[in-house]
């Protein structure tokens, strides 16, 4: 089972305030624990929405619309994410509970969401094989 830990943005993260060195160090130790446990798939912080681009589809079948950031409502925005692969929902919650406060000032919020697996979307063997190939090719090389 794959889960994404979505770190919600704050006014500081949207203002481009970078985390303290202490928080960076704590997050690196946490990520190292995830790697040692063999559950980490990806972990990244994101730039503020002022550097973002939003693509929307305002009309069914219509042309997409492109809007440059910044976007309002920072509590609805994402400041970073961690993608893990675990055996259960409970294990995902345990790992999320161990993450340091992502903003280091008591404003951190982590939303935990399970990733939809391809087998939940289709039983078509061609689509399943294509998805497996895409996932395999997208994996970074391990040294």
């Amino acid at each position: 089972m794959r889960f994404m830990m979505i770190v919600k943005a704050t006014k500081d993260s949207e203002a481009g305030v970078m985390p303290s060195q202490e928080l960076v160090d704590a997050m690196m130790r946490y990520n190292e624990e995830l790697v040692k446990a063999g559950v980490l798939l990806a972990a990244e912080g994101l730039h503020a929405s002022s550097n973002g681009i939003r693509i929307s589809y305002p009309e069914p079948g219509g042309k997409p619309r492109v809007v440059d950031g910044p976007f309002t409502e920072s509590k609805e925005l994402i400041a970073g994410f961690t993608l893990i692969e675990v055996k259960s929902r409970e294990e995902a919650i345990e790992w999320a509970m161990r993450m340091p406060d992502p903003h280091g000032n008591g404003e951190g919020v982590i939303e935990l969401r399970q990733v939809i697996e391809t087998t939940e979307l289709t039983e078509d063997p061609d689509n399943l094989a294509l998805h497996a190939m895409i996932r395999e090719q997208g994996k970074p090389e391990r040294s």
Side-chain angles (χ1 to χ4, degrees), residues 68-90:
D68 289 326
F71 308 118
T72 58
E73 288 300 318
S74 64
K75 67 182 178 183
E76 299 299 323
L77 298 174
I78 298 171
F81 67 92
T82 301
L83 185 63
I84 58 174
E85 188 163 18
V86 293
K87 293 183 176 87
S88 67
R89 179 179 189 271
E90 292 71 27

Side-chain angles (χ1 to χ4, degrees), residues 3 14 18 22 29 53 55 74 99 108 143:
F3 284 84
E14 277 298 290
M18 291 295 152
E22 293 79 17
R29 286 190 300 273
I53 301 157
I55 299 167
S74 64
M99 181 185 277
S143 51

Side-chain angles (χ1 to χ4, degrees), residues 89-114:
R89 179 179 189 271
E90 292 71 27
E91 184 181 358
I93 293 169
E94 287 174 24
W95 279 112
M97 295 288 291
R98 292 171 66 177
M99 181 185 277
D101 176 351
H103 296 288
N105 55 11
E107 293 183 62
V109 174
I110 301 165
E111 184 176 321
L112 188 61
R113 304 275 300 273
Q114 186 173 351

